[in-house]
Amino acid sequence: MSSCGGDSSSGGGSAVVVPPPAPAPTPPPPPPPAATYVGAVYAGTNNNGPGGNWVVGFGRRADGTLVPLDLYETGGVGRASSSSTPPRLNSLIAEDSIIAVNDRFLLVVNAGSNDVTSFRINSDYSLSRVDVEPSGGTAPISLAHRNGVVYVANADEDGSFTAPPNQSGNITAMTIDPATGALTRIAGFSLSLRGRPSDLEATPDGSWLLVSSLNAASPQLPQPTAAEISSFRLQGDGTLAAAPAGTGMSTQIGNAAGRNLPNAIGIETWATGGRQFAIAAEARTVSSTGVPSATFATVQTASVSTWEIAADGSFLPRSQDFMLGPTMTSGPLQAGFLVYSPIYSTFWVNTTAGATISGYGLNADGSISVNSVNGIVARGIAVDPAAASPLANADGFSDMAISADGRWLYQLVGLKGRVDVYEIDTLVATNIARRQQATTGLLPMDNLQGLVSIGG
């Protein structure tokens, strides 16, 4: 009798055990899912080296974090600061050097080659260069778009300048083809300014283009203006009225308090309750008599100011010279860039040298809501005025951007080659918490300028 469970030969020998079948090979892991992004962030390099200027794209995940995509050459050249060697911070001294048009096109200034590049934004958030158009001036630094027209602020009109105090710029205009993104200069239009522009913003109703001035009241200007912010009527043909409808200046030249002049850089506009408002970031780097600071020691605490924009384009002061620190000499230095959230009626302002981000709410009348000592909600590494090289270890906060859903704030760290990602507190909107430091070898380690967020 054969043994139980075994097999026997015909001759009745011992049982032979059959080995179990070999296990099936382990299947290969499934391929990683295709990257899914809800939007993108684009950072400018303002590169003036042999490789020319370029933009770096980041895919934006639903959790706000960023994934580097690629770099995209503009076909133009950026512009360095007065120093030809690193570190170089905020060389353009301007906001909105990169803007998105309807999330379909990305526009970038090339301040070293005096032109503007248009990219098509593809479905995967890569960029395809469409056009490069001369800016109609020297050193284009800021852009704005309204109703199919792109406005370009040039730092100087004739190219004869050595530094911001004696720069007197102009504004030109271009149409943008809604199908292709191609740019075409509006012939014969160039608006001369009596100062050096640093940002352009259209009002929400499309009636006015606002211009901030970096060097208002500078005695080095041939026809100095005393306006840190001006409004120009947007006309039906896309051009601007020749004269400003209104002007604003939070601090007057020769003031008794010895307060430095505003030196406005970034501006933002908003509307609520049928009224329109503007806010300006003020660097405070020029003395009350108009003399530029030779060192950081004479730069005063940064500030912001707000105005209501009247129906005739005039400016009605609301919060003026709202300091970002307790005194003129004890707060963070050089306010530069702003972002505004209509969801929370909140704004954030950073300081380039101080490496701070401050957040504040806005009241219905356009004034700033005061509910804390100084509103600082994030800090980086500030410049060290006492060091032999004050910028050597500094972060150098440059442009900021905010996601359309109001959940994520992005900070370009101009001297560290990265973008910091902050989550905005939905309960106390002024509060932010850093969630990522997005780094990539595609970004240089200094001279970075321009940041924009698109998508949901």
Side-chain angles (χ1 to χ4, degrees), residues 58-149:
F58 296 83
R60 182 164 64 85
R61 297 188 179 110
D63 65 358
T65 57
L66 302 178
V67 177
L69 298 176
D70 206 344
L71 66 82
Y72 308 95
E73 296 176 347
T74 67
V77 178
R79 191 178 189 90
S81 65
S82 56
S83 170
S84 60
T85 57
R88 300 164 298 181
L89 174 61
N90 195 14
S91 296
L92 300 182
I93 321 179
E95 190 173 86
D96 291 319
S97 58
I98 296 177
I99 64 170
V101 175
N102 302 327
D103 281 7
R104 295 189 61 201
F105 304 107
L106 189 79
L107 306 182
V108 185
V109 300
N110 300 303
S113 52
N114 303 327
D115 44 38
V116 177
T117 299
S118 174
F119 290 99
R120 181 180 68 251
I121 301 174
N122 301 314
S123 59
D124 62 355
Y125 299 108
S126 64
L127 300 177
S128 298
R129 193 168 72 213
V130 172
D131 197 5
V132 181
E133 181 74 15
S135 71
T138 300
I141 52 174
S142 185
L143 302 167
H145 169 262
R146 185 73 186 187
N147 294 333
V149 180

Side-chain angles (χ1 to χ4, degrees), residues 114-115 135-142 152-157 168-172 190 193 195-197:
N114 303 327
D115 44 38
S135 71
T138 300
I141 52 174
S142 185
V152 184
N154 295 286
D156 199 75
E157 193 166 13
S168 185
N170 67 322
I171 299 174
T172 57
S190 176
L193 301 171
R196 196 271 201 191

Side-chain angles (χ1 to χ4, degrees), residues 42 83 99 105 128 155 183 238 284 286 324 348 424:
Y42 300 98
S83 170
I99 64 170
F105 304 107
S128 298
L183 301 171
R284 303 284 173 179
V286 172
L324 303 182
W348 293 265
I424 296 170

Side-chain angles (χ1 to χ4, degrees), residues 32-441:
T36 300
Y37 303 122
V38 299
V41 169
Y42 300 98
T45 65
N46 188 32
N47 190 61
N48 68 327
N53 197 11
W54 71 84
V55 174
V56 175
F58 296 83
R60 182 164 64 85
R61 297 188 179 110
D63 65 358
T65 57
L66 302 178
V67 177
L69 298 176
D70 206 344
L71 66 82
Y72 308 95
E73 296 176 347
T74 67
V77 178
R79 191 178 189 90
S81 65
S82 56
S83 170
S84 60
T85 57
R88 300 164 298 181
L89 174 61
N90 195 14
S91 296
L92 300 182
I93 321 179
E95 190 173 86
D96 291 319
S97 58
I98 296 177
I99 64 170
V101 175
N102 302 327
D103 281 7
R104 295 189 61 201
F105 304 107
L106 189 79
L107 306 182
V108 185
V109 300
N110 300 303
S113 52
N114 303 327
D115 44 38
V116 177
T117 299
S118 174
F119 290 99
R120 181 180 68 251
I121 301 174
N122 301 314
S123 59
D124 62 355
Y125 299 108
S126 64
L127 300 177
S128 298
R129 193 168 72 213
V130 172
D131 197 5
V132 181
E133 181 74 15
S135 71
T138 300
I141 52 174
S142 185
L143 302 167
H145 169 262
R146 185 73 186 187
N147 294 333
V149 180
V150 176
Y151 298 93
V152 184
N154 295 286
D156 199 75
E157 193 166 13
D158 60 12
S160 298
F161 63 88
T162 56
N166 72 345
Q167 291 174 358
S168 185
N170 67 322
I171 299 174
T172 57
M174 309 174 181
T175 59
I176 181 168
D177 188 304
T180 67
L183 301 171
T184 304
R185 279 279 308 278
I186 295 181
F189 172 70
S190 176
L191 177 65
S192 298
L193 301 171
R194 293 167 58 189
R196 196 271 201 191
S198 44
D199 194 16
L200 301 177
E201 284 286 336
T203 56
D205 69 355
S207 295
W208 311 99
L209 185 73
L210 307 189
V211 185
S212 58
S213 177
L214 181 70
N215 60 354
S218 170
Q220 296 186 33
L221 291 170
Q223 293 180 303
T225 177
E228 67 173 292
I229 188 168
S230 304
S231 64
F232 293 87
R233 169 72 72 178
L234 286 161
Q235 303 187 129
D237 62 356
T239 63
L240 302 174
T247 59
M249 186 78 166
S250 67
T251 307
Q252 300 303 313
I253 190 167
N255 65 86
R259 180 63 163 144
N260 281 5
L261 298 182
N263 312 113
I265 302 180
I267 52 177
E268 294 289 333
T269 61
W270 75 98
T272 182
R275 302 160 71 182
Q276 298 189 115
F277 303 92
I279 185 169
E282 299 167 329
R284 303 284 173 179
T285 59
V286 172
S287 77
S288 60
T289 59
V291 178
S293 299
T295 67
F296 282 108
T298 54
V299 177
Q300 292 182 353
T301 298
S303 62
V304 291
S305 290
T306 66
W307 296 264
E308 182 173 355
I309 306 165
D312 63 357
S314 60
F315 290 89
L316 309 176
R318 294 298 179 244
S319 292
Q320 300 286 280
D321 187 14
F322 185 95
M323 289 190 294
L324 303 182
T327 71
M328 289 196 304
T329 57
S330 62
L333 304 181
Q334 295 182 325
F337 303 92
L338 292 157
V339 289
Y340 166 76
S341 171
I343 298 172
Y344 305 111
S345 192
T346 298
F347 74 92
W348 293 265
V349 56
N350 71 15
T351 56
T352 56
T356 62
I357 302 175
S358 297
Y360 293 96
L362 290 159
N363 298 317
D365 65 353
S367 62
I368 297 170
S369 175
V370 182
N371 53 18
S372 61
V373 175
N374 58 17
I376 294 176
V377 293
R379 293 182 183 271
I381 302 173
V383 300
D384 181 0
S389 178
L391 298 178
N393 297 312
D395 279 340
F397 282 6
S398 185
D399 299 71
M400 293 191 292
I402 191 170
S403 61
D405 63 6
R407 294 186 57 204
W408 308 99
L409 185 150
Y410 299 94
Q411 172 65 67
L412 184 62
V413 184
L415 296 177
K416 295 292 175 68
R418 72 174 195 259
V419 179
D420 287 352
V421 179
Y422 292 88
E423 184 174 8
I424 296 170
D425 190 328
T426 56
L427 297 179
V428 183
T430 53
N431 291 339
I432 57 176
R434 194 174 65 194
R435 300 305 186 202
Q436 183 193 19
Q437 292 182 314
T439 59
T440 170

